[in-house]
Amino acid sequence: MASTADVIRHDIYQLPLLPTFVSGRVALLGDAAHAMTPYLGQGACMALEDAVTLASVDGDLARYDALRRPRTQAVWKGSRLAGKFGIEVRSPIALALRNFALRALPGSVAVRGMTRFSSWEVPASAW
């Protein structure tokens, strides 16, 4: 039988959007640069993308920053929005409206909306 001692609670934190991921010779990546809510499942992916991009810019941290911040901030915003409208909705009326809208949405539109977050390749400008 479960007791209250068996309940595990994990709070969700996100960083505010940072104006830069670089200070001098130090570059932030992963959650240190852009901790985000988990609603798009992209947190670890962003860290891997950061690492690949950082390796590809040959020490040019300003270029790393310019290449990564727009994408990570777009995913950060998308994840926050997904949480607000997908997970955190509590009102029965808002839930019904959300569910109706999602059922009415053509599958191709839903997939196209997700691929902007789930597809990525190292920008040619990084090489």
Side-chain angles (χ1 to χ4, degrees):
M1 176 167 189
S3 72
T4 55
D6 296 326
V7 175
I8 298 172
R9 176 185 165 157
H10 295 285
D11 293 331
I12 296 174
Y13 298 97
Q14 64 185 11
L15 285 177
L17 295 175
L18 299 177
T20 183
F21 295 165
V22 173
S23 178
R25 296 178 3 178
V26 175
L28 299 176
L29 64 139
D31 282 351
H34 45 71
M36 60 186 71
T37 58
Y39 304 121
L40 292 179
Q42 293 294 307
C45 297
M46 294 294 102
L48 291 170
E49 290 177 15
D50 289 348
V52 169
T53 304
L54 190 57
S56 71
V57 297
D58 220 17
D60 186 344
L61 298 183
R63 200 155 103 222
Y64 160 76
D65 187 54
L67 289 169
R68 291 305 299 155
R69 260 185 318 109
R71 172 153 167 81
T72 58
Q73 290 181 350
V75 174
W76 184 98
K77 290 174 185 174
S79 185
R80 184 177 177 141
L81 190 64
K84 293 262 181 246
F85 292 106
I87 307 294
E88 298 171 6
V89 175
R90 298 285 185 248
S91 158
I93 293 170
L95 281 168
L97 288 171
R98 181 207 59 199
N99 292 346
F100 173 78
L102 289 174
R103 279 192 299 274
L105 190 68
S108 61
V109 174
V111 168
R112 199 175 17 213
M114 282 306 298
T115 53
R116 76 176 215 198
F117 299 119
S118 63
S119 64
W120 176 82
E121 50 190 63
V122 180
S125 59
W127 299 105

